[in-house]
Amino acid sequence: MQWRGLVAEQMASRQSVAAFCRERGLRDWQFYEWKNRLRQAEAGQFVAVEVRSGEPAVEPAPGKAIEIRLARGRSLVVEPGFDAAHSQVRWFYV
């Protein structure tokens, strides 16, 4: 069974989950479980981050960390002592 396709079909149909599942002989609790799994899988994608050398737009205070705020309330904190020479292109799980 292709749950990703079923979830997309249900959303496009504008039917309630209960009605959609009833018509197809599916258990609604199972549908919700798969919908949640698929949402979590999509949220945990890798993002390419490239660190460029040059002048920063804002000079950070000495000895303070820099926080980069990302989507969905996530953030990346760069602590003092960060070595830019080790950071050409990195993949971070967000």
Side-chain angles (χ1 to χ4, degrees), residues 8-27:
E9 186 180 339
Q10 183 273 324
M11 292 174 68
S13 75
R14 297 185 178 240
Q15 287 181 300
S16 68
V17 170
F20 182 84
C21 290
R22 190 171 36 254
E23 284 183 5
R24 287 158 183 79
L26 302 172
R27 293 182 175 99

Side-chain angles (χ1 to χ4, degrees), residues 58-66 80:
V58 177
E59 190 66 35
K64 300 279 183 168
I66 299 170

Side-chain angles (χ1 to χ4, degrees), residues 37-81:
R37 285 184 193 183
L38 294 169
R39 184 181 307 124
Q40 288 175 353
E42 289 175 3
Q45 296 176 349
F46 285 92
V47 177
V49 176
E50 182 179 344
V51 179
R52 297 180 183 181
S53 60
E55 292 295 318
V58 177
E59 190 66 35
K64 300 279 183 168
I66 299 170
E67 180 179 5
I68 302 166
R69 295 186 182 179
L70 306 170
R72 298 183 183 148
R74 295 184 175 116
S75 64
L76 173 67
V77 178
V78 180
E79 299 286 344

